[in-house]
Amino acid sequence: MAPRELDVEREGEELDALNGEHLLGVQVNEPHHYRTRFPGAVRLKAYIFDGLGNYYNKEWDLQEGSGQEFCWYHVELPKGNQKLSQSAQYLIDALCPPLKLQDILSLVSTGPFCGHVDGSLVFRVNSPGPASSKFTFRIAARVTENSVITVSLGRVPRLGFSPVGQSLLSEIPRVESPSGEHKDRSGTVIEEHVLDFLLRMNHSEEADNPVPKSVSNLVVHIIDTHVDHLQDVVTKFEMDLDSVELDLDRGGFALKKQMLDDRRFPKMHLDLQRLLQVLAHGEQVFPRVKEKCSLKDWFASEDINSLEELTGRFKRLKENVGFIANRVTAVQAGLDSWQAEQINRKLYYLSFLSIIFLPLSIITGVFGMNVGGVPWTGQKDPKLMKGFRNVMLLCVAMLVLVLLCFLFSALYTRIDAWRRKGDLKRSLSFNRRFSKRSERAGYLRI
């Protein structure tokens, strides 16, 4: 893993610790008597919001809020090689009761979905790829008037909340010196690759997330972080592609041969197709989420506009992924042409060797003939003197026949063009004679 990814992941883990995240089966004082099959398999987060910009950690009891208060329960499924049935068992262990099997299956199933299940709005964008792949995204939500339950595959960056004072960007940093020497200056030291990573991101870090004041704010926040997560992956992918292109420009024969043997760019193209599938699912789901939420009286109109903007971001992100896919195709085409050039060069060497040995094979073939009259062989029998001549004449006749077969199409084209040219000249001369006769008769040419 690259150092920048390690730093971002380490920072996210620290923020999770600050957010009061608790694991299933770790806190023994919570009454989870019905979760006994998979202790510690999933990560659970539970928050309660007072509607005034404050939030608190709460127990995992899956109860809804009252009045202005609303609750948020989040489940992180392990990002491994488990099957969908195993993920469904994890959710059953964590959410049942009070959720029914129909609710749980609607959250864990793959593919796009948006609709009402048991009176609640359920939407999901779950790609059907392998769960261990970093290009497989799954996020689903069950929304009611006073509670939201979300399920994600692995950790989603910037999904939680933390105080702004603990952010890396809350202070003015100083960039690390390339030579490794630091001057005596106040401020947080930020490494150059981390600064480069932050400059390429189109959003701030997780500490700047505003606390939702309503369920509609929370729904927008969940979709926004999902879009940011996709943006992160696309940006990292583009950065990796830039470094690969730079290595190709600087590298030689061994590097290009290694990339061709590893099928580097076909694998990247497959990952891009998975990203395009996820983005296509988002384009299908989130406009429907906006339409269904606009019918709810508790969903704010400002959040409806925010959902519209997020849908536009999805479309632009999909276009960007399409551009990256075209770049990968172009680089792969360049490598293929380079490989074809290497093969042609080797064939040229073989052709050069065949040119050297062709006269020798002709000489050995001629003097290896089992006929009489071969020169410099001492054959003086008059009856056999014409054998060599006849064989040579037969070879010349066959050579002429083969050449005529190869040149027939070119000769036919030349003859046909010459015939057409003659017909055109005759038609032009006839038109000239006819125009002169018309002028003598008093007619004007049009």
Side-chain angles (χ1 to χ4, degrees), residues 363-421:
I363 294 173
T364 56
V366 169
F367 285 95
M369 290 180 182
N370 193 15
V371 296
V374 179
W376 305 304
T377 59
Q379 297 177 354
K380 303 298 182 180
D381 191 356
K383 296 180 180 180
L384 303 176
M385 292 296 293
K386 294 182 180 181
F388 177 74
R389 184 194 63 183
N390 295 335
V391 171
M392 289 293 101
L393 291 177
L394 182 62
C395 291
V396 171
M398 292 297 296
L399 179 62
V400 172
L401 181 61
V402 172
L403 290 176
L404 287 177
C405 291
F406 277 102
L407 298 176
F408 177 76
S409 59
L411 291 175
Y412 178 79
T413 304
R414 290 288 184 89
I415 294 172
D416 185 67
W418 176 77
R419 183 177 58 81
R420 290 176 180 272
K421 187 176 181 180

Short mmCIF file of all heavy atoms in Angstrom, two decimals, residues 363-421:
data_model
loop_
_atom_site.label_atom_id
_atom_site.label_comp_id
_atom_site.label_asym_id
_atom_site.label_seq_id
_atom_site.Cartn_x
_atom_site.Cartn_y
_atom_site.Cartn_z
N ILE A 363 21.52 -23.37 -55.11
CA ILE A 363 22.68 -24.06 -55.69
C ILE A 363 22.66 -25.54 -55.33
O ILE A 363 22.85 -26.41 -56.19
CB ILE A 363 23.98 -23.39 -55.20
CG1 ILE A 363 24.07 -21.96 -55.76
CG2 ILE A 363 25.20 -24.19 -55.62
CD1 ILE A 363 25.23 -21.16 -55.21
N THR A 364 22.40 -25.82 -54.05
CA THR A 364 22.35 -27.23 -53.66
C THR A 364 21.19 -27.96 -54.32
O THR A 364 21.30 -29.15 -54.65
CB THR A 364 22.23 -27.34 -52.14
OG1 THR A 364 21.07 -26.61 -51.70
CG2 THR A 364 23.47 -26.79 -51.46
N GLY A 365 20.08 -27.27 -54.54
CA GLY A 365 18.96 -27.91 -55.22
C GLY A 365 19.26 -28.21 -56.67
O GLY A 365 18.88 -29.26 -57.19
N VAL A 366 19.96 -27.27 -57.34
CA VAL A 366 20.28 -27.49 -58.76
C VAL A 366 21.25 -28.64 -58.93
O VAL A 366 21.05 -29.55 -59.76
CB VAL A 366 20.85 -26.18 -59.37
CG1 VAL A 366 21.44 -26.46 -60.75
CG2 VAL A 366 19.76 -25.14 -59.48
N PHE A 367 22.32 -28.62 -58.14
CA PHE A 367 23.31 -29.67 -58.30
C PHE A 367 22.90 -30.98 -57.64
O PHE A 367 23.58 -31.98 -57.77
CB PHE A 367 24.65 -29.21 -57.73
CG PHE A 367 25.35 -28.22 -58.61
CD1 PHE A 367 25.21 -26.87 -58.39
CD2 PHE A 367 26.14 -28.65 -59.67
CE1 PHE A 367 25.84 -25.95 -59.20
CE2 PHE A 367 26.78 -27.73 -60.49
CZ PHE A 367 26.63 -26.36 -60.25
N GLY A 368 21.81 -30.97 -56.95
CA GLY A 368 21.29 -32.23 -56.39
C GLY A 368 20.24 -32.87 -57.26
O GLY A 368 19.62 -33.85 -56.84
N MET A 369 20.00 -32.33 -58.45
CA MET A 369 19.01 -32.91 -59.36
C MET A 369 19.47 -34.27 -59.86
O MET A 369 20.65 -34.46 -60.19
CB MET A 369 18.77 -31.97 -60.55
CG MET A 369 18.05 -30.70 -60.20
SD MET A 369 17.82 -29.67 -61.65
CE MET A 369 17.03 -28.25 -60.93
N ASN A 370 18.55 -35.17 -59.95
CA ASN A 370 18.84 -36.52 -60.44
C ASN A 370 18.53 -36.60 -61.93
O ASN A 370 17.76 -37.45 -62.39
CB ASN A 370 18.02 -37.54 -59.65
CG ASN A 370 18.51 -38.96 -59.88
OD1 ASN A 370 19.60 -39.16 -60.40
ND2 ASN A 370 17.68 -39.92 -59.52
N VAL A 371 19.12 -35.68 -62.73
CA VAL A 371 18.96 -35.66 -64.19
C VAL A 371 20.34 -35.51 -64.81
O VAL A 371 21.32 -35.11 -64.15
CB VAL A 371 18.04 -34.51 -64.64
CG1 VAL A 371 16.63 -34.70 -64.11
CG2 VAL A 371 18.58 -33.16 -64.18
N GLY A 372 20.38 -35.78 -66.07
CA GLY A 372 21.65 -35.64 -66.76
C GLY A 372 21.85 -34.25 -67.30
O GLY A 372 20.92 -33.45 -67.43
N GLY A 373 23.11 -33.91 -67.63
CA GLY A 373 23.43 -32.63 -68.23
C GLY A 373 23.69 -31.53 -67.24
O GLY A 373 23.76 -30.36 -67.64
N VAL A 374 23.82 -31.84 -65.93
CA VAL A 374 24.12 -30.81 -64.95
C VAL A 374 25.55 -30.33 -65.16
O VAL A 374 26.48 -31.15 -65.29
CB VAL A 374 23.94 -31.35 -63.52
CG1 VAL A 374 24.27 -30.27 -62.49
CG2 VAL A 374 22.52 -31.85 -63.32
N PRO A 375 25.80 -29.01 -65.28
CA PRO A 375 27.15 -28.53 -65.55
C PRO A 375 28.14 -28.95 -64.47
O PRO A 375 27.78 -29.09 -63.30
CB PRO A 375 26.98 -27.01 -65.60
CG PRO A 375 25.53 -26.79 -65.87
CD PRO A 375 24.82 -27.93 -65.22
N TRP A 376 29.40 -29.10 -64.90
CA TRP A 376 30.53 -29.39 -64.02
C TRP A 376 30.38 -30.69 -63.23
O TRP A 376 30.92 -30.85 -62.16
CB TRP A 376 30.75 -28.25 -63.03
CG TRP A 376 30.91 -26.92 -63.70
CD1 TRP A 376 31.81 -26.60 -64.65
CD2 TRP A 376 30.13 -25.77 -63.46
NE1 TRP A 376 31.66 -25.31 -65.06
CE2 TRP A 376 30.62 -24.74 -64.31
CE3 TRP A 376 29.06 -25.47 -62.62
CZ2 TRP A 376 30.08 -23.47 -64.36
CZ3 TRP A 376 28.54 -24.21 -62.66
CH2 TRP A 376 29.03 -23.20 -63.51
N THR A 377 29.60 -31.61 -63.80
CA THR A 377 29.46 -32.91 -63.15
C THR A 377 30.12 -34.03 -63.94
O THR A 377 30.09 -35.18 -63.49
CB THR A 377 27.97 -33.25 -62.94
OG1 THR A 377 27.31 -33.25 -64.20
CG2 THR A 377 27.34 -32.25 -61.99
N GLY A 378 30.66 -33.73 -65.11
CA GLY A 378 31.36 -34.74 -65.91
C GLY A 378 30.45 -35.68 -66.64
O GLY A 378 30.90 -36.77 -67.05
N GLN A 379 29.17 -35.32 -66.81
CA GLN A 379 28.25 -36.18 -67.54
C GLN A 379 28.35 -35.86 -69.03
O GLN A 379 27.98 -34.76 -69.46
CB GLN A 379 26.82 -35.97 -67.06
CG GLN A 379 26.62 -36.37 -65.59
CD GLN A 379 25.20 -36.07 -65.13
OE1 GLN A 379 24.42 -35.48 -65.87
NE2 GLN A 379 24.89 -36.50 -63.92
N LYS A 380 28.86 -36.81 -69.84
CA LYS A 380 29.11 -36.60 -71.27
C LYS A 380 28.16 -37.39 -72.17
O LYS A 380 28.30 -37.34 -73.40
CB LYS A 380 30.55 -37.00 -71.61
CG LYS A 380 31.62 -36.26 -70.79
CD LYS A 380 31.58 -34.77 -71.06
CE LYS A 380 32.70 -34.05 -70.28
NZ LYS A 380 32.67 -32.59 -70.51
N ASP A 381 27.21 -38.07 -71.58
CA ASP A 381 26.31 -38.90 -72.39
C ASP A 381 25.36 -38.00 -73.18
O ASP A 381 24.62 -37.21 -72.60
CB ASP A 381 25.51 -39.83 -71.49
CG ASP A 381 24.75 -40.89 -72.28
OD1 ASP A 381 24.79 -40.83 -73.52
OD2 ASP A 381 24.12 -41.75 -71.64
N PRO A 382 25.35 -38.07 -74.53
CA PRO A 382 24.46 -37.19 -75.32
C PRO A 382 22.99 -37.43 -75.04
O PRO A 382 22.16 -36.54 -75.20
CB PRO A 382 24.81 -37.55 -76.76
CG PRO A 382 26.12 -38.25 -76.72
CD PRO A 382 26.20 -38.92 -75.38
N LYS A 383 22.63 -38.66 -74.63
CA LYS A 383 21.22 -38.94 -74.39
C LYS A 383 20.70 -38.23 -73.13
O LYS A 383 19.50 -38.03 -72.98
CB LYS A 383 21.02 -40.44 -74.22
CG LYS A 383 21.36 -41.22 -75.48
CD LYS A 383 21.14 -42.70 -75.24
CE LYS A 383 21.47 -43.51 -76.48
NZ LYS A 383 21.25 -44.97 -76.26
N LEU A 384 21.60 -37.86 -72.24
CA LEU A 384 21.19 -37.23 -70.98
C LEU A 384 21.45 -35.74 -70.94
O LEU A 384 21.16 -35.07 -69.95
CB LEU A 384 21.90 -37.89 -69.81
CG LEU A 384 21.70 -39.40 -69.66
CD1 LEU A 384 22.55 -39.93 -68.51
CD2 LEU A 384 20.25 -39.74 -69.45
N MET A 385 22.02 -35.17 -71.98
CA MET A 385 22.41 -33.76 -71.95
C MET A 385 21.20 -32.83 -71.89
O MET A 385 21.27 -31.73 -71.37
CB MET A 385 23.27 -33.42 -73.16
CG MET A 385 24.64 -34.08 -73.15
SD MET A 385 25.64 -33.50 -71.79
CE MET A 385 25.88 -31.80 -72.27
N LYS A 386 20.05 -33.23 -72.47
CA LYS A 386 18.88 -32.35 -72.54
C LYS A 386 18.02 -32.43 -71.26
O LYS A 386 17.05 -31.68 -71.13
CB LYS A 386 18.02 -32.72 -73.75
CG LYS A 386 18.70 -32.47 -75.07
CD LYS A 386 17.78 -32.80 -76.22
CE LYS A 386 18.46 -32.54 -77.56
NZ LYS A 386 17.57 -32.84 -78.70
N GLY A 387 18.36 -33.31 -70.33
CA GLY A 387 17.54 -33.41 -69.11
C GLY A 387 17.60 -32.17 -68.25
O GLY A 387 16.58 -31.65 -67.79
N PHE A 388 18.78 -31.66 -68.05
CA PHE A 388 18.93 -30.47 -67.24
C PHE A 388 18.24 -29.27 -67.88
O PHE A 388 17.59 -28.46 -67.21
CB PHE A 388 20.41 -30.20 -67.01
CG PHE A 388 20.68 -28.95 -66.23
CD1 PHE A 388 20.45 -28.89 -64.87
CD2 PHE A 388 21.17 -27.82 -66.87
CE1 PHE A 388 20.68 -27.74 -64.16
CE2 PHE A 388 21.39 -26.65 -66.16
CZ PHE A 388 21.16 -26.60 -64.80
N ARG A 389 18.40 -29.16 -69.23
CA ARG A 389 17.77 -28.03 -69.94
C ARG A 389 16.25 -28.10 -69.80
O ARG A 389 15.58 -27.09 -69.57
CB ARG A 389 18.18 -28.08 -71.41
CG ARG A 389 17.67 -26.89 -72.23
CD ARG A 389 17.83 -27.17 -73.72
NE ARG A 389 17.02 -28.34 -74.09
CZ ARG A 389 17.00 -28.87 -75.33
NH1 ARG A 389 17.80 -28.37 -76.27
NH2 ARG A 389 16.25 -29.92 -75.60
N ASN A 390 15.69 -29.28 -69.96
CA ASN A 390 14.23 -29.40 -69.85
C ASN A 390 13.72 -29.04 -68.44
O ASN A 390 12.68 -28.40 -68.28
CB ASN A 390 13.81 -30.82 -70.20
CG ASN A 390 14.12 -31.16 -71.66
OD1 ASN A 390 14.19 -30.26 -72.50
ND2 ASN A 390 14.29 -32.44 -71.96
N VAL A 391 14.48 -29.46 -67.41
CA VAL A 391 14.07 -29.12 -66.04
C VAL A 391 14.13 -27.61 -65.81
O VAL A 391 13.24 -27.01 -65.18
CB VAL A 391 14.94 -29.88 -65.02
CG1 VAL A 391 14.67 -29.38 -63.61
CG2 VAL A 391 14.67 -31.37 -65.10
N MET A 392 15.16 -26.95 -66.33
CA MET A 392 15.28 -25.50 -66.19
C MET A 392 14.15 -24.77 -66.90
O MET A 392 13.58 -23.79 -66.39
CB MET A 392 16.63 -25.04 -66.71
CG MET A 392 17.82 -25.42 -65.85
SD MET A 392 17.84 -24.57 -64.25
CE MET A 392 17.21 -25.84 -63.19
N LEU A 393 13.80 -25.25 -68.09
CA LEU A 393 12.69 -24.63 -68.82
C LEU A 393 11.37 -24.81 -68.07
O LEU A 393 10.53 -23.90 -68.02
CB LEU A 393 12.60 -25.23 -70.23
CG LEU A 393 13.75 -24.87 -71.19
CD1 LEU A 393 13.56 -25.60 -72.52
CD2 LEU A 393 13.80 -23.36 -71.43
N LEU A 394 11.18 -25.99 -67.50
CA LEU A 394 9.96 -26.22 -66.72
C LEU A 394 9.89 -25.31 -65.49
O LEU A 394 8.83 -24.77 -65.15
CB LEU A 394 9.91 -27.69 -66.31
CG LEU A 394 8.66 -28.12 -65.51
CD1 LEU A 394 7.41 -27.91 -66.35
CD2 LEU A 394 8.78 -29.58 -65.08
N CYS A 395 11.06 -25.12 -64.83
CA CYS A 395 11.08 -24.21 -63.66
C CYS A 395 10.77 -22.78 -64.06
O CYS A 395 10.04 -22.06 -63.36
CB CYS A 395 12.44 -24.30 -62.99
SG CYS A 395 12.76 -25.88 -62.16
N VAL A 396 11.31 -22.32 -65.20
CA VAL A 396 11.04 -20.96 -65.66
C VAL A 396 9.56 -20.80 -66.01
O VAL A 396 8.93 -19.77 -65.70
CB VAL A 396 11.93 -20.63 -66.86
CG1 VAL A 396 11.52 -19.31 -67.51
CG2 VAL A 396 13.39 -20.55 -66.43
N ALA A 397 8.97 -21.81 -66.64
CA ALA A 397 7.55 -21.74 -66.98
C ALA A 397 6.69 -21.67 -65.72
O ALA A 397 5.72 -20.88 -65.65
CB ALA A 397 7.17 -22.94 -67.83
N MET A 398 7.01 -22.46 -64.73
CA MET A 398 6.26 -22.41 -63.48
C MET A 398 6.43 -21.05 -62.80
O MET A 398 5.47 -20.51 -62.23
CB MET A 398 6.73 -23.53 -62.56
CG MET A 398 6.37 -24.93 -63.04
SD MET A 398 4.59 -25.20 -63.13
CE MET A 398 4.14 -25.05 -61.42
N LEU A 399 7.65 -20.49 -62.85
CA LEU A 399 7.87 -19.18 -62.24
C LEU A 399 7.05 -18.10 -62.93
O LEU A 399 6.43 -17.24 -62.28
CB LEU A 399 9.36 -18.84 -62.30
CG LEU A 399 9.78 -17.49 -61.73
CD1 LEU A 399 9.43 -17.42 -60.25
CD2 LEU A 399 11.26 -17.24 -61.95
N VAL A 400 7.00 -18.14 -64.26
CA VAL A 400 6.20 -17.16 -65.00
C VAL A 400 4.71 -17.31 -64.68
O VAL A 400 3.98 -16.32 -64.51
CB VAL A 400 6.46 -17.31 -66.50
CG1 VAL A 400 5.50 -16.45 -67.33
CG2 VAL A 400 7.90 -16.94 -66.83
N LEU A 401 4.26 -18.56 -64.56
CA LEU A 401 2.85 -18.78 -64.23
C LEU A 401 2.49 -18.24 -62.85
O LEU A 401 1.44 -17.60 -62.66
CB LEU A 401 2.55 -20.28 -64.31
CG LEU A 401 1.09 -20.69 -64.00
CD1 LEU A 401 0.15 -20.05 -64.99
CD2 LEU A 401 0.95 -22.22 -64.02
N VAL A 402 3.38 -18.47 -61.89
CA VAL A 402 3.12 -17.95 -60.54
C VAL A 402 3.12 -16.43 -60.53
O VAL A 402 2.27 -15.79 -59.89
CB VAL A 402 4.17 -18.53 -59.56
CG1 VAL A 402 4.05 -17.84 -58.20
CG2 VAL A 402 4.00 -20.02 -59.39
N LEU A 403 4.08 -15.82 -61.26
CA LEU A 403 4.11 -14.35 -61.32
C LEU A 403 2.86 -13.80 -61.97
O LEU A 403 2.31 -12.76 -61.54
CB LEU A 403 5.35 -13.90 -62.07
CG LEU A 403 6.69 -14.11 -61.35
CD1 LEU A 403 7.85 -13.69 -62.25
CD2 LEU A 403 6.73 -13.33 -60.05
N LEU A 404 2.36 -14.47 -63.03
CA LEU A 404 1.12 -14.01 -63.67
C LEU A 404 -0.07 -14.11 -62.72
O LEU A 404 -0.95 -13.25 -62.72
CB LEU A 404 0.86 -14.83 -64.94
CG LEU A 404 1.79 -14.53 -66.13
CD1 LEU A 404 1.47 -15.47 -67.29
CD2 LEU A 404 1.64 -13.08 -66.58
N CYS A 405 -0.08 -15.15 -61.91
CA CYS A 405 -1.18 -15.27 -60.94
C CYS A 405 -1.17 -14.14 -59.93
O CYS A 405 -2.22 -13.60 -59.54
CB CYS A 405 -1.08 -16.62 -60.23
SG CYS A 405 -1.43 -18.05 -61.28
N PHE A 406 0.04 -13.74 -59.51
CA PHE A 406 0.14 -12.64 -58.55
C PHE A 406 -0.13 -11.29 -59.19
O PHE A 406 -0.67 -10.38 -58.55
CB PHE A 406 1.53 -12.64 -57.90
CG PHE A 406 1.66 -13.59 -56.75
CD1 PHE A 406 2.30 -14.82 -56.91
CD2 PHE A 406 1.12 -13.29 -55.52
CE1 PHE A 406 2.40 -15.70 -55.85
CE2 PHE A 406 1.23 -14.17 -54.45
CZ PHE A 406 1.87 -15.38 -54.63
N LEU A 407 0.26 -11.13 -60.46
CA LEU A 407 0.13 -9.84 -61.13
C LEU A 407 -1.15 -9.71 -61.93
O LEU A 407 -1.37 -8.67 -62.56
CB LEU A 407 1.33 -9.62 -62.08
CG LEU A 407 2.71 -9.58 -61.41
CD1 LEU A 407 3.79 -9.45 -62.48
CD2 LEU A 407 2.80 -8.41 -60.44
N PHE A 408 -2.02 -10.72 -61.91
CA PHE A 408 -3.23 -10.66 -62.73
C PHE A 408 -4.14 -9.51 -62.31
O PHE A 408 -4.66 -8.77 -63.15
CB PHE A 408 -3.97 -12.00 -62.65
CG PHE A 408 -5.26 -12.00 -63.41
CD1 PHE A 408 -5.28 -12.09 -64.79
CD2 PHE A 408 -6.47 -11.89 -62.73
CE1 PHE A 408 -6.47 -12.09 -65.49
CE2 PHE A 408 -7.67 -11.88 -63.42
CZ PHE A 408 -7.68 -11.98 -64.81
N SER A 409 -4.35 -9.37 -60.98
CA SER A 409 -5.25 -8.32 -60.50
C SER A 409 -4.72 -6.93 -60.85
O SER A 409 -5.48 -6.05 -61.30
CB SER A 409 -5.44 -8.44 -58.99
OG SER A 409 -4.19 -8.33 -58.33
N ALA A 410 -3.40 -6.72 -60.71
CA ALA A 410 -2.83 -5.41 -61.05
C ALA A 410 -2.91 -5.15 -62.55
O ALA A 410 -3.24 -4.03 -62.98
CB ALA A 410 -1.37 -5.35 -60.58
N LEU A 411 -2.63 -6.18 -63.37
CA LEU A 411 -2.73 -6.00 -64.82
C LEU A 411 -4.17 -5.72 -65.24
O LEU A 411 -4.43 -4.86 -66.11
CB LEU A 411 -2.21 -7.26 -65.52
CG LEU A 411 -0.69 -7.50 -65.42
CD1 LEU A 411 -0.33 -8.84 -66.06
CD2 LEU A 411 0.08 -6.37 -66.09
N TYR A 412 -5.12 -6.42 -64.64
CA TYR A 412 -6.52 -6.18 -64.98
C TYR A 412 -6.95 -4.77 -64.61
O TYR A 412 -7.67 -4.11 -65.36
CB TYR A 412 -7.39 -7.21 -64.26
CG TYR A 412 -8.87 -7.03 -64.52
CD1 TYR A 412 -9.45 -7.47 -65.69
CD2 TYR A 412 -9.69 -6.40 -63.57
CE1 TYR A 412 -10.80 -7.29 -65.93
CE2 TYR A 412 -11.03 -6.21 -63.79
CZ TYR A 412 -11.59 -6.66 -64.98
OH TYR A 412 -12.91 -6.47 -65.23
N THR A 413 -6.47 -4.26 -63.47
CA THR A 413 -6.80 -2.90 -63.06
C THR A 413 -6.21 -1.89 -64.03
O THR A 413 -6.88 -0.91 -64.41
CB THR A 413 -6.28 -2.64 -61.64
OG1 THR A 413 -6.82 -3.62 -60.74
CG2 THR A 413 -6.68 -1.27 -61.15
N ARG A 414 -4.97 -2.11 -64.45
CA ARG A 414 -4.35 -1.20 -65.42
C ARG A 414 -5.09 -1.21 -66.75
O ARG A 414 -5.35 -0.15 -67.35
CB ARG A 414 -2.89 -1.61 -65.63
CG ARG A 414 -1.99 -1.35 -64.44
CD ARG A 414 -1.74 0.13 -64.29
NE ARG A 414 -0.79 0.39 -63.20
CZ ARG A 414 0.52 0.43 -63.37
NH1 ARG A 414 1.04 0.22 -64.58
NH2 ARG A 414 1.31 0.68 -62.34
N ILE A 415 -5.43 -2.40 -67.22
CA ILE A 415 -6.15 -2.50 -68.51
C ILE A 415 -7.52 -1.84 -68.42
O ILE A 415 -7.95 -1.11 -69.33
CB ILE A 415 -6.26 -3.97 -68.94
CG1 ILE A 415 -4.86 -4.53 -69.24
CG2 ILE A 415 -7.16 -4.12 -70.16
CD1 ILE A 415 -4.86 -6.03 -69.50
N ASP A 416 -8.23 -2.06 -67.30
CA ASP A 416 -9.55 -1.46 -67.14
C ASP A 416 -9.46 0.06 -67.05
O ASP A 416 -10.30 0.77 -67.64
CB ASP A 416 -10.20 -2.03 -65.88
CG ASP A 416 -11.63 -1.55 -65.71
OD1 ASP A 416 -12.48 -1.92 -66.52
OD2 ASP A 416 -11.87 -0.79 -64.75
N ALA A 417 -8.45 0.58 -66.32
CA ALA A 417 -8.28 2.04 -66.26
C ALA A 417 -7.93 2.62 -67.62
O ALA A 417 -8.44 3.70 -68.00
CB ALA A 417 -7.18 2.37 -65.24
N TRP A 418 -7.08 1.93 -68.39
CA TRP A 418 -6.75 2.41 -69.74
C TRP A 418 -7.97 2.43 -70.64
O TRP A 418 -8.18 3.36 -71.42
CB TRP A 418 -5.66 1.50 -70.32
CG TRP A 418 -5.29 1.82 -71.75
CD1 TRP A 418 -4.53 2.84 -72.19
CD2 TRP A 418 -5.74 1.12 -72.90
NE1 TRP A 418 -4.43 2.83 -73.56
CE2 TRP A 418 -5.17 1.76 -74.03
CE3 TRP A 418 -6.53 -0.01 -73.10
CZ2 TRP A 418 -5.40 1.33 -75.32
CZ3 TRP A 418 -6.75 -0.43 -74.40
CH2 TRP A 418 -6.20 0.23 -75.49
N ARG A 419 -8.85 1.39 -70.54
CA ARG A 419 -10.07 1.35 -71.34
C ARG A 419 -11.03 2.47 -70.95
O ARG A 419 -11.62 3.13 -71.82
CB ARG A 419 -10.74 -0.02 -71.17
CG ARG A 419 -11.99 -0.21 -72.02
CD ARG A 419 -12.53 -1.61 -71.83
NE ARG A 419 -12.85 -1.86 -70.42
CZ ARG A 419 -13.99 -1.45 -69.86
NH1 ARG A 419 -14.88 -0.76 -70.56
NH2 ARG A 419 -14.21 -1.71 -68.60
N ARG A 420 -11.18 2.72 -69.66
CA ARG A 420 -12.06 3.80 -69.21
C ARG A 420 -11.54 5.16 -69.67
O ARG A 420 -12.32 6.05 -70.02
CB ARG A 420 -12.20 3.78 -67.69
CG ARG A 420 -12.98 2.59 -67.15
CD ARG A 420 -12.99 2.59 -65.63
NE ARG A 420 -13.73 1.47 -65.11
CZ ARG A 420 -15.05 1.48 -64.87
NH1 ARG A 420 -15.75 2.58 -65.13
NH2 ARG A 420 -15.64 0.41 -64.39
N LYS A 421 -10.21 5.33 -69.62
CA LYS A 421 -9.63 6.60 -70.07
C LYS A 421 -9.89 6.83 -71.54
O LYS A 421 -10.20 7.95 -71.98
CB LYS A 421 -8.13 6.58 -69.78
CG LYS A 421 -7.44 7.89 -70.04
CD LYS A 421 -5.97 7.81 -69.64
CE LYS A 421 -5.28 9.15 -69.89
NZ LYS A 421 -3.83 9.09 -69.50
#
